[in-house]
Amino acid sequence: MKLLQSKIPWGVLAGAFGILCFYLTAAVFGIQFVFAQINGQTGQAATIFDTWWQIILFVFFLITLVGFVCSLALFIARRVVCGGKGGNHEKTE
């Protein structure tokens, strides 16, 4: 586990998942807002699960959220275990 934890750049993955999670959150809420306004004009109700692509967008949001939380936790765990050196256990003289 420590070999896997020190080989993968968890900070980079946490950043990438964080960016994706941010934009997918904005997309889910933005689409919900637009559809609520459109459906409000016709007297209908709108949810985030109305169409198939909204469901897929929400699932991708959940996947990136879990990926962000897990990679951030592993990044912090590596920093705590390695003492802030980032996984390089060799001593330099």
Side-chain angles (χ1 to χ4, degrees):
M1 179 67 180
K2 286 186 180 182
L3 180 65
L4 175 69
Q5 198 173 11
S6 65
K7 293 278 185 184
I8 298 176
W10 293 112
V12 174
L13 284 175
F17 278 128
I19 291 169
L20 285 172
C21 187
F22 171 77
Y23 283 117
L24 286 172
T25 303
V28 167
F29 285 117
I31 290 169
Q32 171 61 27
F33 177 75
V34 170
F35 278 6
Q37 297 301 316
I38 292 171
N39 288 344
Q41 292 295 321
T42 60
Q44 299 174 352
T47 66
I48 60 173
F49 304 113
D50 283 341
T51 61
W52 63 271
W53 58 270
Q54 285 178 302
I55 296 170
I56 291 175
L57 192 68
F58 185 72
V59 168
F60 283 153
F61 162 71
L62 290 178
I63 290 171
T64 58
L65 182 65
V66 169
F68 171 68
V69 169
C70 291
S71 60
L72 185 65
L74 287 170
F75 174 72
I76 292 170
R78 182 175 68 180
R79 291 290 179 173
V80 169
V81 168
C82 297
K85 294 181 182 177
N88 191 2
H89 297 294
E90 298 177 9
K91 290 186 178 181
T92 56
E93 311 241 352

